[in-house]
Amino acid sequence: MTELPESRADKLARRLRRQVGQAIADYRMIDAGDRIMVCLSGGKDSWVMLDMLLELQARAPVRFDLLAVHLDQKQPGYDASILPTALRQRDIPFRIIEQDTYSVVERVIPAGRTMCSLCSRLRRGALYDFAAKNGYNRIALGHHRDDIVETLFLNLFHQARLKAMPPKLQADDGRNIVIRPLAYCAESDLAELARERAYPIIPCDLCGSQESLQRKAIKRMLQAWEIETPGRIENIFRALTRVEPSQLADPALFDFSVLGLGTHERYPAPPRPALDE
């Protein structure tokens, strides 16, 4: 029987699956017996992440559990039936957490101000608490390569810190290990696969409606760089994996104080010339 040629969508899915598998291996994100809570926001990135993890789960030599978890934040106009319907149709195990973070953010944040920070903290708190109480030792978030690079520049420009998003970390509460399986994946690839697979995307009406966000400005800057010099975003990300502490300037990261100790004994200073009488 003649094999059908591989479609562009199939090639893209295979590349993303390979990148996710490589990130998982490089950072040991998943071990045998892990119970992984996959945070499904309903956006393109979390849908692709869920699919990639499901496909890897079916092929992996080790067994691990996956549960898709969505937080219903009670935003106006939110259709609570979209995700459960889609997940049930595919027989994917899931849980919906209901928490009215929308009203809290609306009440606390003045009109016109950025809501992302508070919204994100409330959302993380609810999801992390669910994971800890239900025995999930890994929390999978859908941040991708471009998110990581954008965060680097946000911290650089606005906080004067060299800090990004690690592919794996222990949460601030100390209870959870957070993993980012899409760390090696480009956002453009995720967007293309999401279109090909026609995921039921749920838009965010909080931060997603604020066009003046600093992150959007960073994204525009990086996109312009990428057009001018293709591959620049990938090079910036690769630089985060090849840090040379001695070539930076943080004394807490590299002990500069020991450099040069004892050199005055090996290389004594030349005698000073005699002063004219």
Side-chain angles (χ1 to χ4, degrees):
M1 184 174 63
T2 303
E3 292 186 4
L4 293 175
E6 189 176 35
S7 69
R8 177 177 173 80
D10 289 337
K11 290 180 181 178
L12 177 58
R14 181 159 50 85
R15 179 167 74 245
L16 288 170
R17 197 162 49 241
R18 183 177 66 250
Q19 291 172 338
V20 169
Q22 190 62 56
I24 289 172
D26 287 348
Y27 296 96
R28 195 172 176 176
M29 295 184 186
I30 299 175
D31 287 319
D34 279 345
R35 304 186 73 223
I36 303 168
M37 186 182 85
V38 183
C39 296
L40 183 65
S41 68
K44 67 182 190 314
D45 305 327
S46 63
W47 268 118
V48 174
M49 175 179 65
L50 176 60
D51 257 3
M52 294 297 104
L53 289 175
L54 287 167
E55 291 173 22
L56 288 172
Q57 183 189 44
R59 302 161 180 246
V62 299
R63 295 178 61 106
F64 56 89
D65 295 329
L66 295 173
L67 177 72
V69 176
H70 174 71
L71 176 63
D72 177 357
Q73 298 177 266
K74 301 303 179 183
Q75 297 182 32
Y78 169 80
D79 187 343
S81 68
I82 293 176
L83 288 184
T85 299
L87 293 166
R88 288 192 186 102
Q89 286 175 347
R90 297 180 53 190
D91 199 25
I92 297 173
F94 72 94
R95 286 283 299 275
I96 305 294
I97 306 171
E98 296 185 13
Q99 184 169 315
D100 188 2
T101 62
Y102 181 87
S103 296
V104 175
V105 172
E106 286 280 287
R107 184 176 68 252
V108 173
I109 303 297
R113 297 291 297 275
T114 298
M115 300 177 178
C116 290
S117 179
L118 176 59
C119 179
S120 179
R121 287 200 303 273
L122 294 173
R123 186 170 61 249
R124 280 200 307 269
L127 292 169
Y128 289 8
D129 190 54
F130 176 90
K133 288 180 178 178
N134 291 274
Y136 287 89
N137 65 322
R138 295 285 189 272
I139 298 175
L141 301 180
H143 298 120
H144 46 69
R145 182 203 66 182
D146 297 41
D147 286 328
I148 294 172
V149 173
E150 288 164 15
T151 301
L152 170 69
F153 282 98
L154 278 171
N155 284 313
L156 180 66
F157 292 165
H158 300 288
Q159 302 295 330
R161 302 183 70 182
L162 276 175
K163 177 183 176 183
M165 290 177 174
K168 180 181 179 182
L169 78 155
Q170 186 167 28
D172 293 338
D173 61 11
R175 298 181 297 174
N176 307 112
I177 297 295
V178 174
I179 59 175
R180 296 184 168 103
L182 302 181
Y184 291 171
C185 301
E187 182 177 17
S188 58
D189 286 345
L190 302 175
E192 183 178 350
L193 187 65
R195 288 192 298 270
E196 290 287 343
R197 294 189 172 181
Y199 296 122
I201 303 299
I202 298 178
C204 175
D205 294 325
L206 285 172
C207 57
S209 64
Q210 296 175 298
E211 292 298 326
S212 62
L213 286 177
Q214 294 168 345
R215 182 174 290 275
K216 292 183 180 293
I218 297 294
K219 184 183 292 290
R220 289 193 297 269
M221 179 193 76
L222 291 172
Q223 288 172 344
W225 284 0
E226 190 68 18
I227 292 171
E228 180 182 350
T229 310
R232 179 165 289 184
I233 294 176
E234 178 63 21
N235 280 343
I236 295 170
F237 176 79
R238 289 181 62 197
L240 291 173
T241 71
R242 303 166 66 187
V243 177
E244 299 183 25
S246 66
Q247 304 303 303
L248 298 176
D250 188 347
L253 193 62
F254 183 85
D255 190 1
F256 296 93
S257 66
V258 302
L259 298 180
L261 291 181
T263 56
H264 62 283
E265 298 173 355
R266 291 182 311 206
Y267 305 105
R272 295 181 179 179
L275 297 176
D276 292 336
E277 295 281 336

